[in-house]
Amino acid sequence: MAQSLEITAARLDPALLDLPWEVPLEEWPESVLAALPRGISRHVVRFVRLSGRVIAVKEIGETVAFHEYEMLRNLNRLDAPSVQPLAVITGRATPQGEPLDSVLVTEHLQFSLPYRALFSQYLRPDTATRLIDAAAVLLVRLHLLGFYWGDVSLSNTLFRRDAGAFAAYLVDAETGEFQPELTIGQREYDLDIARTNIIGELMDLQAGEILDEDVDTIEVGNRIVERYTALWRELTDSESFDTGERWRVAARIDRLNELGYDVGELTMTTDVDGTSVQIQPKVVDAGHHHRRMMRLTGLDVQENQARRMLNDLDAYRAATDRQGEDEEFVAHDWLAKVFEPTVRAIPRELRGKLEPAEIFHEVLEHRWFISEQQRRDVPLPEAVQSYVDAVLRHRPDERSFLGVDAPRLEDL
């Protein structure tokens, strides 16, 4: 190991010192690598097993590495959906003294996949539009934080399942910058880059016969503009109404809650004669259902998963005739009698297929399906067994997706 090696990390894992930093990343031995789908990147990226987890190592110039490290740290502090930075390593050199590029080390996001890996036969035909919807939500959240991405694309995003939809995470912040407030031009430029890149990426999938040729890539690419614009308007536009319609304040907040946002601050102004009121959300925080589920049960799940689980909690409350009881007590019983037994009923060897909350969502979906099919109310334990045998056993393992290399993603 070169003596000039320097590691910058908020919390250093000593096991990093054991990796072959004196070897170019593309020549690292298979013995230290984890076989994960790498997607497409301008740089050499490798996944490595380290201290019982998987890390991503990207070879990159020193200045860019430190910039991206700081951007990711700031995003994490703001609870933005992004990968977690671990370290920047500089001063690398071969045993012969030849300098090597610096590397950025991030933690691999469990149960996440690059977009190419998601276009497999078992997914629904609308996979592309669901990914676009997730990307639009991600871009809005970043822009609300004052983050200009500069290189929005599916390739720079990871996706996790979220109760039938997807949650998107930023994975590449090389070109990103924080501003006190983004201008309309900056937001529109990010959106135009997103549209152009997404259309190109989908066309590439069609050329590789991974995406059905009937999919209109232009239409799908345009969708991110439509979805982004609609969501941005709902979150930021002002609304005027007569003073006698004050219920519309609560209605606006309810709409934002339903979209998964909490209103941290709201501005209200009246006109000169006091006959009309104008309201505008000033501070909105994503994760309304996530926070409620965390408060009630301690479960850290995706937003749509939390929404689905809260609906099931409400159904449990009604079925047990406990509407008048404290919500926290009912949630504790639901956790102990419904959620945890369902997750424990999954055979241990199959638990890496999906996140527990996603498995629970799919069990509920499967229960509804077979109940409709059999015209009876199928008990939950029976539905779990049917789901395991008919669905889960045939799914790939998404905890780490081991054994799949990027060139063979079309075979998934």
Side-chain angles (χ1 to χ4, degrees):
M1 183 183 297
Q3 293 184 358
S4 61
L5 192 70
E6 294 184 8
I7 301 178
T8 301
R11 187 171 57 185
L12 178 63
D13 184 342
L16 279 173
L17 298 171
D18 299 328
L19 295 175
W21 299 115
E22 71 280 4
V23 178
L25 200 52
E26 63 183 353
E27 298 175 13
W28 276 23
E30 294 292 331
S31 58
V32 302
L33 301 181
L36 300 181
R38 293 188 297 272
I40 297 174
S41 174
R42 293 184 296 268
H43 309 285
V44 179
V45 178
R46 294 292 182 265
F47 293 102
V48 177
R49 293 192 174 280
L50 188 79
S51 302
R53 58 182 173 174
V54 176
I55 61 172
V57 183
K58 177 167 70 171
E59 216 162 39
I60 196 171
E62 181 176 337
T63 301
V64 179
F66 276 112
H67 174 77
E68 185 168 9
Y69 178 73
E70 286 304 316
M71 291 300 100
L72 289 174
R73 288 189 68 189
N74 290 333
L75 287 167
N76 272 251
R77 278 195 289 266
L78 294 170
D79 200 28
S82 57
V83 294
Q84 181 179 352
L86 297 178
V88 172
I89 300 176
T90 59
R92 298 173 62 217
T94 67
Q96 293 75 34
E98 182 180 348
L100 297 173
D101 276 340
S102 302
V103 298
L104 172 69
V105 183
T106 57
E107 185 160 359
H108 174 63
L109 186 64
Q110 280 198 340
F111 295 102
S112 69
L113 291 169
Y115 76 100
R116 293 175 70 89
L118 286 164
F119 285 90
S120 49
Q121 292 182 356
Y122 68 86
L123 287 172
R124 300 203 301 256
D126 65 344
T127 298
T129 56
R130 288 187 291 148
L131 293 184
I132 299 310
D133 289 348
V137 171
L138 172 62
L139 191 55
V140 167
R141 289 189 63 179
L142 294 174
H143 284 177
L144 287 172
L145 294 173
F147 184 78
Y148 166 76
W149 195 340
D151 193 14
V152 190
S153 68
L154 297 179
S155 299
N156 290 336
T157 310
L158 287 174
F159 296 90
R160 296 171 80 173
R161 299 183 191 281
D162 186 10
F166 290 101
Y169 290 76
L170 177 147
V171 72
D172 190 315
E174 291 178 29
T175 56
E177 295 179 359
F178 275 97
Q179 303 289 341
E181 184 177 348
L182 295 185
T183 65
I184 294 175
Q186 287 171 320
R187 291 195 300 105
E188 290 181 346
Y189 186 67
D190 247 359
L191 199 53
D192 186 57
I193 289 175
R195 175 185 173 277
T196 302
N197 285 343
I198 288 170
I199 291 173
E201 288 165 327
L202 295 179
M203 286 181 172
D204 181 61
L205 290 178
Q206 283 184 329
E209 299 183 352
I210 300 173
L211 179 64
D212 195 305
E213 62 180 11
D214 293 334
V215 174
D216 187 335
T217 57
I218 305 296
E219 180 182 344
V220 175
N222 287 337
R223 183 179 176 88
I224 193 168
V225 179
E226 298 164 7
R227 294 290 291 163
Y228 173 96
T229 302
L231 182 55
W232 184 266
R233 254 186 219 144
E234 187 63 51
L235 293 173
T236 63
D237 273 7
S238 61
E239 181 178 357
S240 297
F241 50 87
D242 293 337
T243 54
E245 299 178 298
R246 294 180 184 176
W247 57 268
R248 289 177 61 175
V249 177
R252 178 70 180 272
I253 293 173
D254 287 342
R255 288 203 311 272
L256 292 174
N257 289 166
E258 185 58 29
L259 286 170
Y261 290 83
D262 284 324
V263 180
E265 190 176 341
L266 193 70
T267 59
M268 297 180 62
T269 56
T270 59
D271 61 4
V272 175
D273 58 8
T275 59
S276 66
V277 179
Q278 185 177 72
I279 61 171
Q280 182 173 19
K282 221 175 157 185
V283 178
V284 289
D285 299 312
H288 173 74
H289 300 97
H290 162 84
R291 279 191 288 272
R292 183 179 168 214
M293 177 56 64
M294 177 76 84
R295 175 176 59 82
L296 291 174
T297 67
L299 295 174
D300 186 4
V301 299
Q302 303 286 348
E303 181 68 12
N304 287 328
Q305 292 169 348
R307 189 198 310 262
R308 183 62 192 275
M309 293 162 75
L310 288 166
N311 287 341
D312 192 67
L313 171 57
D314 289 340
Y316 172 80
R317 192 175 191 175
T320 54
D321 194 23
R322 301 173 66 180
Q323 289 92 334
E325 287 191 38
D326 190 288
E327 189 177 42
E328 281 80 4
F329 291 126
V330 180
H332 179 272
D333 286 348
W334 172 86
L335 187 67
K337 296 178 181 179
V338 179
F339 179 78
E340 290 178 347
T342 299
V343 173
R344 283 198 301 267
I346 304 299
R348 187 175 299 276
E349 69 274 13
L350 300 180
R351 292 179 188 174
K353 298 280 186 178
L354 295 168
E355 290 180 285
E358 191 66 21
I359 286 178
F360 184 77
H361 157 72
E362 292 202 350
V363 166
L364 295 182
E365 289 280 291
H366 185 72
R367 183 189 187 190
W368 177 85
F369 174 75
I370 61 177
S371 293
E372 285 281 302
Q373 194 177 53
Q374 300 176 21
R375 298 183 179 278
R376 66 185 179 95
D377 188 12
V378 176
L380 188 57
E382 182 182 337
V384 172
Q385 188 58 54
S386 172
Y387 167 75
V388 168
D389 294 336
V391 179
L392 191 60
R393 290 190 187 279
H394 309 288
R395 302 197 66 146
D397 187 330
E398 291 190 5
R399 178 185 295 275
S400 57
F401 230 90
L402 296 178
V404 183
D405 200 6
R408 298 195 57 206
L409 291 176
E410 65 271 21
D411 298 329
L412 293 177

